[in-house]
Amino acid sequence: MLLLILFPLFHFLHGLDVSNLVPKVSVDTSPCKSCKVLVTSFEKGLERTKNNFFGGGNTAWEEKNLLNYADSEVRFVEIYDTLCSETTQNQDMCFHLSSEYEHHLKEWWTNGRQEELYQWFCVDKLKVCCPSKHYGPDCLPCKGYPNVCNLHGSCKGDGTRKGNGLCKCNTGYSGDNCDRCAKNYFTTVNNDTLICRKCHKSCKDGCIESGPKGCNDCKDGWVYMGEDKGC
């Protein structure tokens, strides 16, 4: 009789989809971005504990015979135990990285934290990020390095192991290295720096200077009024 009662329950549980009840790792999340989140969380922990000390009854003995709190395993554990808890962005992947690579974090800590954590952990150890102004699997320099994209654009893949290093120019700039002005912008130079400014709204096919007098031609609906006035 008991089996007859329990059998429908077993059948129900067998067919129940519990996948939504199991925590998932965001496998589609950028590894570099997640690593940066973890590093930021660790750095917040360093800031939060910078004025702390041993909580035991004999702090002087502990610091003399063990380690100064600032470099102690006690402080590391206090930081590690709260990693990722304050962030909502990429939190699941942050927890995953902190658990998977705790030994690397501890290695960095016990070796004296001589390098910046981001460079040591995300770039050198996990190889999921690149230094700033570098991109791709081999962390090659971005176009125009160190003045990437002539300071008028961004490098595709900057700081990550992805991208192609090509420039995405800011509005008004063009060219492989963002070193030319786009259509309907004119060129000025300020302290040897290229500056592109937008032509007057009456201009057609570009201009050579600001205002209606600088137009190469007038748009439909605008009339050329001579050299003094332009379009």
Side-chain angles (χ1 to χ4, degrees):
M1 178 64 71
L2 181 60
L3 289 176
L4 292 176
I5 296 174
L6 293 178
F7 181 77
L9 178 61
F10 291 150
H11 183 73
F12 169 76
L13 292 175
H14 178 73
L16 183 64
D17 182 7
V18 296
S19 60
N20 292 328
L21 304 178
V22 180
K24 296 179 181 179
V25 172
S26 301
V27 294
D28 59 337
T29 301
S30 164
C32 181
K33 186 175 182 180
S34 299
C35 196
K36 287 180 178 179
V37 169
L38 186 147
V39 167
T40 298
S41 180
F42 200 102
E43 289 173 344
K44 287 180 179 178
L46 286 171
E47 180 66 21
R48 186 179 63 253
T49 59
K50 68 179 182 180
N51 295 321
N52 288 7
F53 49 84
F54 287 113
N58 195 340
T59 300
W61 182 90
E62 288 172 326
E63 292 191 345
K64 179 181 178 181
N65 294 279
L66 299 175
L67 277 174
N68 183 282
Y69 171 82
D71 302 315
S72 68
E73 184 172 354
V74 172
R75 187 185 182 196
F76 173 82
V77 171
E78 288 179 358
I79 295 171
Y80 180 81
D81 284 349
T82 59
L83 272 182
C84 312
S85 59
E86 82 292 346
T87 182
T88 56
Q89 184 183 40
N90 296 354
Q91 189 182 56
D92 52 353
M93 192 63 177
C94 183
F95 280 129
H96 171 72
L97 288 177
S98 66
S99 175
E100 186 78 11
Y101 300 108
E102 178 186 359
H103 58 291
H104 284 328
L105 294 171
K106 197 164 186 179
E107 179 186 352
W108 174 77
W109 183 270
T110 55
N111 286 343
R113 316 196 304 273
Q114 295 180 4
E115 286 188 70
E116 179 190 25
L117 179 57
Y118 170 75
Q119 175 69 35
W120 189 91
F121 185 62
C122 300
V123 178
D124 297 335
K125 278 290 182 182
L126 301 193
K127 300 186 185 302
V128 293
C129 298
C130 288
S132 178
K133 301 181 181 180
H134 293 72
Y135 75 96
D138 299 318
C139 291
L140 299 175
C142 289
K143 189 82 172 178
Y145 178 86
N147 295 325
V148 173
C149 301
N150 203 34
L151 305 180
H152 294 306
S154 57
C155 167
K156 295 179 180 179
D158 185 5
T160 76
R161 297 279 170 158
K162 298 182 179 181
N164 54 19
L166 298 180
C167 292
K168 181 180 179 181
C169 298
N170 298 335
T171 300
Y173 296 86
S174 65
D176 290 344
N177 197 34
C178 304
D179 52 2
R180 299 197 304 271
C181 291
K183 184 178 180 181
N184 292 323
Y185 284 78
F186 67 96
T187 302
T188 62
V189 177
N190 183 13
N191 295 327
D192 296 325
T193 301
L194 172 73
I195 304 294
C196 296
R197 303 190 185 281
K198 192 171 180 62
C199 295
H200 189 265
K201 60 183 179 180
S202 62
C203 295
K204 177 183 178 181
D205 297 329
C207 62
I208 57 173
E209 60 180 341
S210 63
K213 292 192 296 182
C215 297
N216 292 330
D217 198 357
C218 299
K219 283 183 179 178
D220 293 343
W222 296 81
V223 179
Y224 182 68
M225 304 293 289
E227 291 185 5
D228 291 340
K229 294 184 178 180
C231 296

